[in-house]
Amino acid sequence: MLGMALAALDGTIVSTAVPQIVGDLGGFAVFSWLFSGYLLAVTVTLPVYGKLSDTFGRKPVLIAGIILFLVGSLLCATAWNMASLIAFRVVQGLGGGALQGTVQVIAADLYPLKERPKIQAKLSTVWATSSVAGPALGGLLAGYADWRWIFLINLPVGAVALWLVVRYLHEPNRATATEGTGAAPDRAPRRRVDWAGALAVFATGALLLTALVQGGVAWPWISVPSFAFLGGSAVLAAATVVIERRAADPIIPGWVWRRRTIAAVNLALGALGLLMVAPTVFLPTYAQSVLGLGPIAAGFVLSAMTLSWPVSAAFSNRLYNRVGFRLTAVIGISLALLVLLAFPLLPYPGQAWQPALIMLLLGAALGIFQLPLIIGVQSTVGWSERGTATASILFCRQVGQSVGAALFGAVANGVLAARLTNAPTPGLPDDLDSVSKALENPATLTAEAADYLRRAMDSAVEYVYLGAAGAAAVALLVLIFVAPRRFPVLTDPE
């Protein structure tokens, strides 16, 4: 749980300290890479760490991840300019990928099927609490101490986590056995690591996610850089397929997509990552720009989802033990679809409790959608495949989130641009970059212009939520037509 907290905190703790960091180091034009670089490193390493944990065991991979994460944190605290800080954030992300994926696999290894919802709910609670507390903690440290403490605070927490893992984590004996071979645990042959495939996966993911994260931000979508990154990722993806087909033990084996259960969950959680962009990225903007809330109050509106998510996840086993993993997930995503469709029906400008209630219901629905799918997949594979299978679905969720940020960002910008072009009110900003500044300082606008801008932002976020509802509909269709009616669950060993 401490390892999970490290990875979760660093995804958000930097956000509120950006003004202090930029003021000290400069580099305002590239500061977004503090987040993008970390996200890229975490995402592209997930499949690699999943395979390594199946090959060498979970404990050494987790220990290596914690050490790498702490080294990255210490380096971040010593950064002398923005370029060095971004590079060290990438090092942090390389360790964060091991933390994020391996912890989920260890939970499935150590706990039988009946107990997994409880431990997964606790892990979800840690993730949710850390994600909400991160911005507040980052702001406090940056405002009353120094922004470098944002990274130094990881060292004592990580040291305790490392000591606990080394001292108390004991993997089952079957961790070193090759299942199905009949070999004794101490005589099991060690499989070769597909380092060529790992490098190919890493390079492909890095180019693709860079194109998605920076497209429309650092450069226009229709531009030479976009075509270069997307074209390069396509070429590397083809090369990766060739390398993986020839590898004796590939990083991303073909069975990940040949098995209906895993393929369906990969697609469904990819859609989940897509729809999660609406509440996590656009709801705070909506709360501040449309409702007029401050940053802290806007955070509380979003936190309503993190309150109900782990609670519903903890009780999801009572449902899937009766009706199965697939039907439970269908119920959850159906409810989420209805909740997302309800968001555009909120009155303008409305009260803060209204979107908070929407988020509370959305968290409850997604809690009984996501957790049964993760546990269901982990329960259909043996120890030697569990790391790869878990990393596969987490990787798809992360890629879905990157795609969603690019797609829904384009949707929101398109709606705002159309509203500005056809505005009947004079005195409005000339470009999209000036919209947020104008809404932060409404005194610079006439009352009529400020109201028009708020309505335009409200309309943009409504379209984003409709897009998120479309992603939920895709997940629903995948579960109905692709996923098997009953997951082929393996019996837990005695």
Side-chain angles (χ1 to χ4, degrees):
M1 292 171 74
L2 283 175
M4 179 68 79
L6 284 173
L9 272 174
D10 257 70
T12 58
I13 195 171
V14 180
S15 59
T16 48
V18 166
Q20 289 78 11
I21 294 174
V22 172
D24 189 12
L25 302 180
F28 179 79
V30 295
F31 83 86
S32 62
W33 272 100
L34 291 177
F35 311 97
S36 301
Y38 182 83
L39 174 65
L40 287 171
V42 169
T43 304
V44 300
T45 54
L46 278 170
V48 178
Y49 284 126
K51 189 64 179 181
L52 291 177
S53 73
D54 284 343
T55 304
F56 298 109
R58 326 298 188 206
K59 186 173 181 177
V61 172
L62 182 58
I63 290 174
I66 294 175
I67 292 174
L68 191 56
F69 185 89
L70 294 182
V71 169
S73 298
L74 182 60
L75 291 173
C76 285
T78 64
W80 55 91
N81 57 28
M82 185 61 74
S84 64
L85 182 57
I86 290 171
F88 297 148
R89 281 283 284 173
V90 172
V91 175
Q92 262 193 318
L94 296 177
L99 292 172
Q100 195 171 132
T102 311
V103 168
Q104 298 277 2
V105 183
I106 290 174
D109 287 343
L110 298 182
Y111 293 87
L113 180 57
K114 291 182 179 180
E115 296 181 19
R116 283 176 200 162
K118 295 180 181 179
I119 188 63
Q120 289 284 3
K122 291 178 180 178
L123 292 175
S124 297
T125 301
V126 170
W127 188 272
T129 303
S130 300
S131 298
V132 174
L137 182 59
L140 288 173
L141 291 174
Y144 295 98
D146 186 270
W147 63 264
R148 298 179 190 273
W149 281 100
I150 288 174
F151 304 104
L152 291 175
I153 198 174
N154 291 331
L155 300 182
V157 178
V160 174
L162 183 61
W163 179 78
L164 289 172
V165 169
V166 172
R167 177 68 179 83
Y168 293 107
L169 176 58
H170 303 292
E171 294 190 81
N173 289 333
R174 64 181 180 273
T176 56
T178 302
E179 295 185 10
T181 66
D186 58 343
R187 297 180 182 176
R190 174 156 289 182
R191 294 172 292 181
R192 296 177 59 186
V193 178
D194 176 24
W195 293 114
L199 180 61
V201 170
F202 188 93
T204 302
L207 280 186
L208 175 61
L209 292 176
T210 300
L212 294 175
V213 170
Q214 295 299 105
V217 179
W219 51 73
W221 281 110
I222 302 178
S223 64
V224 173
S226 282
F227 293 138
F229 276 99
L230 290 174
S233 62
V235 172
L236 283 176
T240 302
V241 172
V242 174
I243 292 171
E244 294 297 82
R245 283 184 174 179
R246 295 179 177 178
D249 199 14
I251 289 291
I252 302 182
W255 56 259
V256 167
W257 291 102
R258 286 195 298 267
R259 298 180 190 176
R260 285 180 61 194
T261 302
I262 302 176
V265 173
N266 281 342
L267 294 173
L269 288 192
L272 172 64
L274 198 72
L275 73 86
M276 282 299 295
V277 171
T280 58
V281 176
F282 289 93
L283 182 66
T285 301
Y286 170 87
Q288 295 180 67
S289 301
V290 179
L291 302 182
L293 302 178
I296 296 177
F300 278 117
V301 172
L302 176 60
S303 68
M305 180 177 67
T306 66
L307 295 176
S308 57
W309 190 315
V311 174
S312 65
F315 289 98
S316 64
N317 65 319
R318 299 186 180 184
L319 185 57
Y320 69 64
N321 283 333
R322 293 185 177 182
V323 301
F325 293 113
R326 172 178 172 269
L327 185 54
T328 301
V330 166
I331 294 171
I333 198 62
S334 299
L335 294 174
L337 174 59
L338 295 176
V339 172
L340 290 167
L341 288 174
F343 187 90
L345 302 179
L346 294 179
Y348 172 85
Q351 303 294 321
W353 66 267
Q354 294 166 334
L357 177 60
I358 292 287
M359 291 303 99
L360 192 70
L361 296 174
L362 183 61
L366 295 179
I368 60 175
F369 164 69
Q370 177 183 257
L371 189 59
L373 293 180
I374 294 177
I375 293 178
V377 165
Q378 291 177 334
S379 303
T380 64
V381 295
W383 189 97
S384 63
E385 296 178 338
R386 190 171 290 144
T388 299
T390 303
S392 172
I393 57 181
L394 295 179
F395 175 76
C396 288
R397 188 181 66 185
Q398 290 284 95
V399 171
Q401 192 168 350
S402 298
V403 173
L407 177 62
F408 293 147
V411 169
N413 288 341
V415 173
L416 284 175
R419 294 293 189 275
L420 291 177
T421 301
N422 302 317
T425 305
L428 291 171
D430 296 328
D431 55 72
L432 294 177
D433 292 336
S434 304
V435 171
S436 59
K437 295 179 181 179
L439 289 173
E440 288 176 4
N441 301 287
T444 60
L445 301 171
T446 64
E448 186 179 2
D451 182 69
Y452 184 86
L453 268 190
R454 290 193 184 94
R455 289 183 180 274
M457 184 65 71
D458 177 66
S459 179
V461 177
E462 286 179 357
Y463 274 97
V464 168
Y465 269 81
L466 287 175
V474 170
L476 178 61
L477 293 174
V478 166
L479 291 176
I480 292 175
F481 295 107
V482 180
R485 290 182 177 272
R486 294 224 171 252
F487 286 17
V489 175
L490 301 179
T491 304
D492 285 319
E494 295 296 334

